[in-house]
Amino acid sequence: MKWKGLVKNGLALLFAVIVFRAGAQNLGRYVNPFIGTSATGHTFPGAAVPFGLVQLSPETGNFGWNYCSGYRYEDAVITGFAHTHLSGTGGVDLGDVLFFPFQGNTPAKFVSKFSHQTEKASPGYYKVDLSDNKIKVELTATAHAGLHRYTFTKAGKSHILIDMQSGLVEDAEQLKEHVSEGSIKIDSKTSLSGYAFTSQWVEKKVFFAATFSKAFTGSHFIDGENHRRLIVDFDTSPGETIEAKVGISTVSVDGARKNLAAETTGKTFTQVKSGAAKIWESYFAKLKADGGQEQKIAFYTSVYHALIQPNNIADVDGKYRGADGQVHQSADKVYYSTLSLWDTYRAAHPLYTLICPDKDGQMVETMLQHFGVTQLLPVWTLFGKESYAMIGNHAIPVIVDAALKRIKGFDKEQAFAAIKSTLTINKNPKYNWDLYMRYGYLPSDSVKREAVSRTLEAAYDDWCAAQLAKSLHKTADYNYFIKRSGFYNNLFDKSTNLMRGKLADGDWVQPFANLDSGQLAIGGDYTEGNAWQYTWQVQQDIPGLIKLMGGKKPFLAKLDSLFTMDSKVFGKGSTLDVTGLIGQYAHGNEPNHHIAYLYTLAGDAAKTQRLVRQISDQFYQNKPDGLSGNDDCGQMSAWYIFTAMGFYPVNPADGRYVFGAPQLRKITLALSGNKSFVIEAEGLSLTHKYVQSISLNGKPYLKNYISHRDITKGGKLVFVMGDKPAKVI
């Protein structure tokens, strides 16, 4: 992100329509959906609404880690438009129900060249011209439906491929085999339906029902008896438009039809597009920001990315397909999935507690419903199914945070029972609680992968469990879990001031490859990071970590070393997620996200203030490769949103937001009960990045954090900024 000027060269032309739409006065004009679509951001530019099931977006490829979202800005061809996508993840899946319009004979390969000059995107809308047949494509979406509008500018027969075999997979062989069952059925001259049972990251079922604005003149399958790849034909005149409305369901074709009818009946493409924009605007209005053009683009694009998921996979009647593969009924007609909890517990869910607490409460209720089926709180769910991706059981901090903030929508006693069971009964394949209790850590010779990271993440969950037990007056449970929350001490090596793998006999792992970055499925003691990055994963007890290191002075010195040492990344395959480096600080991966704020907690807030400016400027830029790593279902974006406001939830379940320094002149939070909380940064500029003083409601404020309760009361927080560090907190 730059403080002066607009994006230059060709990008300025591409994004001009988003930012300077003639006469527009909405906040959505500051959203650039192309940010993160290049390099390792793994975002997509297509149409979606907040928390919707459908993400209708172009695909430029579908094999391997580079195509987790199906789209890469650097590509020159489009392969189709599919209805489901992941935003900013490191996992390959979805890309279901793909459409591709074309003219002429059936091609050997369904692709078309395109130019970014014709490509435009805004919240809830996407447009591109397919160069090969000069077809104008427009997409928009509701929560459960995708709408296509194809304008065929050339004379001749027009066709649309509907492909249920397509999907985002690892390689061409998986593409052939990832659908175990499925087919497309022609229901009438203007309607189709179909389904596919797929296996990739998770096993899932997806159903669709589609209606077209014009009758087919013919149709044929191109995959023999499978009936999963259908071409429908149309007679069109030059410039004629054909529209398709496509409902999606995890339950049934009937569910897809009901979803389609409920959300699109009697509505034109233009009306749906306008409705999607209005829904987005209602969320953007909860965070009204004033600042430089580039800062507002970074801010509102972050809000946009943070709200694409979790996704409500329940049909409009409340039916959903759960973790057991069976159909269940949701009382409140919502059931959230795409729960990337290892990432989003850190800042995305705390953000939801501020701007959409009702949704956060529903998400917690979803987690408890998931527990009711599996007897384990969710780890990383997609389409309602558990993937067991990543480590920890980080539904726990999300639940505890919501409970302690008195968010409604779930039962606290039921929540604690689910937490206690999850942390004591061996259901998660990555945790043996008997082993954990026997040693006070997970031994590296028993747990061959990520033993240090798994221990540290579990200790944080234990602390969260203890806090909910305390609030419910469960003294014995509190004592049990608070003791376990201190297990991080057992892996601290005082000779190096780093967290280190330990064997069952109590010896340290030798040799200590403290800079090697472990990867999932590769091995090593750390998860997508190394000892330097994971040592700070003690969010529940920073004072305890400071004490272990010998006090604030050596603690600060160790922090300084992290940010100033060589940025070289070590270890096989480790560069995939260990990105966005400042020294060994890796902003592109989530365990690092709270680290810059530790300076404030150790008494050197000016270094936090300097670093958050550097990270914001360097790793949130208005260009396709403007993110430093996977956006990870909004967590990367949530970091920026909080940082722009001037604080961050270092411990996401303690109800405190630790001060950094604001990045925009003014942000107004719209809160429940018609209240508002205003954050102002007086004197903020390129050089004035240091906080000189803080006041809350006109009175000097000397704490190094602000509480959730103080924010939700409403009021005004003022930072006075200057060009030199000042000891204010």
Side-chain angles (χ1 to χ4, degrees):
M1 183 184 63
K2 304 295 184 184
W3 279 83
K4 293 182 178 179
L6 295 172
V7 178
K8 297 180 179 179
N9 303 325
L11 293 177
L13 293 174
L14 172 63
F15 302 144
V17 68
I18 300 168
V19 180
F20 296 114
R21 200 181 312 146
Q25 294 298 318
N26 59 67
L27 298 172
R29 71 187 187 276
Y30 297 109
V31 174
N32 177 2
F34 292 98
I35 291 175
T37 57
S38 182
T40 60
H42 290 185
T43 62
F44 61 82
V49 296
F51 309 119
L53 173 61
V54 167
Q55 307 84 34
L56 179 54
S57 188
E59 292 184 358
T60 61
N62 55 349
F63 297 151
W65 191 79
N66 283 337
Y67 290 94
C68 292
S69 74
Y71 179 96
R72 290 185 69 79
Y73 189 85
E74 44 268 65
D75 290 340
V77 299
I78 282 175
T79 62
F81 306 92
H83 290 77
T84 62
H85 293 92
L86 289 162
S87 180
T89 72
V92 183
D93 207 328
L94 304 187
D96 302 294
V97 194
L98 181 135
F99 279 39
F100 183 82
F102 66 98
Q103 288 185 301
N105 296 326
T106 301
K109 193 173 183 180
F110 292 92
V111 298
S112 175
K113 295 178 182 177
F114 75 104
S115 168
H116 291 304
Q117 296 299 315
T118 70
E119 195 178 30
K120 295 174 176 61
S122 59
Y125 176 72
Y126 173 85
K127 173 193 171 296
V128 70
D129 291 352
L130 299 182
S131 305
D132 290 0
N133 295 130
K134 293 184 170 55
I135 299 170
K136 177 183 176 182
V137 175
E138 296 175 273
L139 310 174
T140 189
T142 66
H144 296 86
L147 277 70
H148 308 241
R149 184 159 66 183
Y150 303 141
T151 302
F152 297 92
T153 58
K154 293 171 57 179
K157 290 277 188 179
S158 298
H159 318 277
I160 300 174
L161 167 71
I162 298 93
D163 192 344
M164 291 298 286
Q165 185 68 41
S166 186
L168 302 177
V169 294
E170 292 292 347
D171 52 43
E173 191 61 32
Q174 283 192 356
L175 186 62
K176 296 176 185 176
E177 300 177 353
H178 82 119
V179 178
S180 60
E181 181 184 336
S183 65
I184 300 171
K185 179 183 176 183
I186 300 172
D187 297 321
S188 74
K189 291 183 178 181
T190 58
S191 63
L192 307 167
S193 60
Y195 73 101
F197 299 173
T198 71
S199 178
Q200 181 53 33
W201 197 1
V202 297
E203 293 183 353
K204 72 180 194 301
K205 298 181 179 181
V206 60
F207 302 83
F208 85 93
T211 62
F212 295 80
S213 60
K214 186 171 184 174
F216 319 136
T217 57
S219 64
H220 65 284
F221 289 96
I222 59 172
D223 60 341
E225 295 181 357
N226 280 338
H227 285 191
R228 298 172 194 160
R229 305 185 77 210
L230 174 70
I231 291 175
V232 293
D233 311 315
F234 300 89
D235 284 334
T236 56
S237 56
E240 186 173 349
T241 293
I242 293 177
E243 296 185 5
K245 298 178 178 180
V246 185
I248 302 293
S249 171
T250 68
V251 174
S252 64
V253 167
D254 185 56
R257 290 191 182 112
K258 288 179 179 178
N259 292 340
L260 187 63
E263 295 179 355
T264 70
T265 297
K267 295 181 180 178
T268 66
F269 181 97
T270 301
Q271 287 172 326
V272 171
K273 173 190 170 186
S274 176
K278 287 178 181 177
I279 294 170
W280 279 111
E281 192 64 23
S282 71
Y283 280 91
F284 298 145
K286 295 173 183 286
L287 295 136
K288 292 184 178 178
D290 180 27
Q293 189 84 351
E294 295 294 282
Q295 287 71 54
K296 285 195 283 188
I297 292 172
F299 186 78
Y300 283 110
T301 302
S302 293
V303 176
Y304 173 75
H305 282 146
L307 298 178
I308 289 175
Q309 63 290 295
N311 306 114
N312 175 22
I313 67 169
D315 287 346
V316 292
D317 61 5
K319 290 185 173 65
Y320 68 91
R321 193 171 296 277
D324 57 358
Q326 301 303 306
V327 175
H328 300 266
Q329 179 71 44
S330 170
D332 57 2
K333 297 186 178 181
V334 296
Y335 187 84
Y336 287 95
S337 197
T338 320
L339 293 171
S340 180
L341 292 163
W342 183 79
D343 306 292
T344 57
Y345 88 89
R346 303 169 193 270
H349 279 278
L351 176 68
Y352 305 150
T353 69
L354 284 169
I355 66 172
C356 50
D358 57 330
K359 294 286 192 296
D360 194 64
Q362 291 176 333
M363 292 170 195
V364 170
E365 176 59 23
T366 287
M367 296 173 195
L368 299 182
Q369 291 180 47
H370 178 94
F371 177 86
V373 170
T374 64
Q375 297 304 294
L376 180 74
L377 286 168
V379 178
W380 210 124
T381 62
L382 177 63
F383 258 60
K385 303 297 283 292
E386 181 58 80
S387 72
Y388 296 108
M390 308 313 296
I391 61 172
N393 278 95
H394 292 325
I396 292 167
V398 174
I399 294 168
V400 172
D401 184 40
L404 297 182
K405 289 174 178 173
R406 300 179 181 178
I407 288 173
K408 299 177 181 179
F410 62 96
D411 181 85
K412 292 181 184 179
E413 289 285 352
Q414 182 186 357
F416 182 77
I419 289 170
K420 183 176 179 179
S421 177
T422 294
L423 289 176
T424 55
I425 298 176
N426 293 330
K427 290 280 189 179
N428 186 333
K430 295 184 178 179
Y431 284 92
N432 182 319
W433 299 118
D434 301 323
L435 197 68
Y436 183 67
M437 289 301 297
R438 185 183 314 149
Y439 295 100
Y441 58 93
L442 295 175
S444 295
D445 47 350
S446 300
V447 178
K448 301 296 185 181
R449 294 174 181 164
E450 314 165 298
V452 173
S453 294
R454 293 188 196 187
T455 298
L456 296 174
E457 303 265 7
Y460 179 67
D461 291 340
D462 289 334
W463 182 89
C464 294
Q467 305 315 303
L468 185 53
K470 184 178 181 180
S471 74
L472 296 174
H473 309 292
K474 298 179 184 293
T475 304
D477 289 323
Y478 170 80
N479 290 335
Y480 175 80
F481 285 115
I482 204 68
K483 179 181 178 181
R484 284 185 17 165
S485 75
F487 281 2
Y488 74 87
N489 286 272
N490 298 328
L491 294 183
F492 186 77
D493 175 14
K494 289 185 179 293
S495 70
T496 61
N497 271 1
L498 294 170
M499 295 293 176
R500 183 174 182 179
K502 186 179 283 188
L503 306 176
D505 64 7
D507 289 341
W508 296 115
V509 169
Q510 298 286 356
F512 185 21
N514 62 83
L515 284 169
D516 279 4
S517 293
Q519 285 287 108
L520 291 173
I522 291 175
D525 279 330
Y526 307 93
T527 302
E528 299 181 1
N530 59 32
W532 280 86
Q533 293 150 6
Y534 245 98
T535 290
W536 318 96
Q537 185 61 41
V538 188
Q539 293 164 285
Q540 73 274 23
D541 189 14
I542 299 304
L545 184 60
I546 291 172
K547 185 177 180 180
L548 275 180
M549 289 192 182
K552 289 184 177 180
K553 187 173 181 180
F555 180 86
L556 290 167
K558 197 72 172 180
L559 267 179
D560 288 343
S561 297
L562 175 75
F563 285 98
T564 56
M565 48 194 307
D566 193 318
S567 289
K568 184 177 180 181
V569 177
F570 301 83
K572 181 181 177 182
S574 60
T575 56
L576 287 177
D577 279 304
V578 184
T579 54
L581 291 165
I582 301 174
Q584 280 295 311
Y585 171 84
H587 191 70
N589 215 27
E590 278 66 24
N592 296 259
H593 278 189
H594 66 288
I595 296 176
Y597 287 86
L598 299 185
Y599 280 110
T600 294
L601 293 178
D604 195 351
K607 285 183 178 174
T608 293
Q609 296 158 19
R610 176 180 58 79
L611 278 166
V612 296
R613 169 67 68 83
Q614 181 181 354
I615 295 165
S616 297
D617 285 1
Q618 192 169 334
F619 299 138
Y620 294 85
Q621 297 189 6
N622 184 14
K623 56 183 183 176
D625 63 351
L627 295 179
S628 61
N630 300 163
D631 192 61
D632 283 310
C633 292
Q635 168 56 29
M636 188 80 69
S637 292
W639 184 95
Y640 183 82
I641 295 165
F642 272 115
T643 294
M645 291 191 289
F647 41 76
Y648 184 81
V650 169
N651 178 346
D654 72 353
R656 296 179 176 183
Y657 306 98
V658 176
F659 284 132
Q663 303 300 302
L664 284 94
R665 290 191 294 268
K666 183 179 179 180
I667 297 172
T668 302
L669 283 173
L671 303 170
S672 300
N674 294 319
K675 292 177 289 186
S676 65
F677 188 76
V678 180
I679 303 153
E680 288 189 359
E682 294 182 358
L684 178 68
S685 70
L686 179 64
T687 57
H688 286 57
K689 58 188 174 185
Y690 295 106
V691 177
Q692 307 298 299
S693 66
I694 302 173
S695 63
L696 178 63
N697 297 326
K699 297 179 181 179
Y701 194 85
L702 302 179
K703 296 177 183 178
N704 58 13
Y705 68 88
I706 187 167
S707 71
H708 181 83
R709 184 171 296 181
D710 279 341
I711 291 175
T712 55
K713 287 177 183 175
K716 187 174 184 179
L717 184 71
V718 176
F719 296 84
V720 175
M721 309 300 293
D723 61 355
K724 293 181 175 60
K727 181 75 174 179
V728 294
I729 52 175

